[in-house]
Amino acid sequence: MRKILFSLPFFVLAAPLAAQTDGQTNGAIVLPDFDAPTPPAEAALGGLAERLSDPATQDEIAATVSVLSEILLDLPLAPLIEPLAEATADVADLPRRPVDPDLTLRRMSPRAGEVAQRMARDLPRTMDRMADASDGIAALIPALRDAFLQIEERVEGSLPRE
């Protein structure tokens, strides 16, 4: 059950991303065009590094994470826990324990608010590290591409011809 509760923040953070629109579709969800040509990986990672290291973007994302975390801490958990408690009691053939209808993550763990504050505080530094990592990966891609081509040539050269 802890895994479910701890994965809940990721679902809450992913929901706004899934609901983004392009402004021209009257509120409809717009999925990426997977058939469109992809930009070179180096260029895509370079742009990502710039966005991740931008202080304004970092502040905006940190504020969003902070607000979403606070909301998540105060969401009632009974609708999630009730079915799990019922199923567990049925499987274990035990009497079902009542679930507090006012239960929230904040009530379960009063220090959870500290985690939300620390996440918002540390997020810019984490984003800087991610930007640095994406720069390193972008620099590594040509070498990986060359290595892959060499492996492909050697494998094709070692196969028997028909």
Side-chain angles (χ1 to χ4, degrees):
M1 177 151 93
R2 285 185 178 174
K3 289 180 183 180
I4 293 171
L5 293 176
F6 288 121
S7 64
L8 202 56
F10 299 107
F11 294 119
V12 170
L13 293 174
L17 178 64
Q20 287 183 353
T21 64
D22 65 357
Q24 301 173 356
T25 58
N26 296 328
I29 294 175
V30 178
L31 297 175
D33 182 6
F34 293 108
D35 295 327
T38 58
E42 298 91 338
L45 286 172
L48 176 65
E50 290 174 19
R51 287 190 305 270
L52 288 175
S53 59
D54 177 36
T57 302
Q58 291 176 349
D59 290 344
E60 184 178 320
I61 291 175
T64 302
V65 166
S66 178
V67 168
L68 290 174
S69 298
E70 290 298 321
I71 291 170
L72 181 66
L73 289 173
D74 294 323
L75 282 177
L77 296 178
L80 295 171
I81 296 175
E82 282 284 340
L84 294 173
E86 188 174 321
T88 304
D90 289 347
V91 168
D93 198 26
L94 297 170
R96 191 169 137 325
R97 293 179 18 197
V99 176
D100 179 5
D102 297 325
L103 185 64
T104 64
L105 285 175
R106 192 180 307 275
R107 286 188 63 206
M108 280 179 70
S109 176
R111 295 184 59 195
E114 295 172 19
V115 174
Q117 291 170 353
R118 190 173 45 205
M119 267 184 12
R121 183 188 68 227
D122 293 344
L123 192 62
R125 184 175 24 168
T126 303
M127 291 176 71
D128 281 335
R129 289 179 182 160
M130 290 170 58
D132 292 343
S134 68
D135 283 341
I137 292 170
L140 185 62
I141 288 176
L144 291 173
R145 188 176 291 126
D146 290 343
F148 176 76
L149 291 174
Q150 289 177 11
I151 292 169
E152 187 178 47
E153 288 173 4
R154 290 185 182 170
V155 168
E156 286 178 358
S158 67
L159 293 176
R161 304 219 178 230
E162 292 182 36

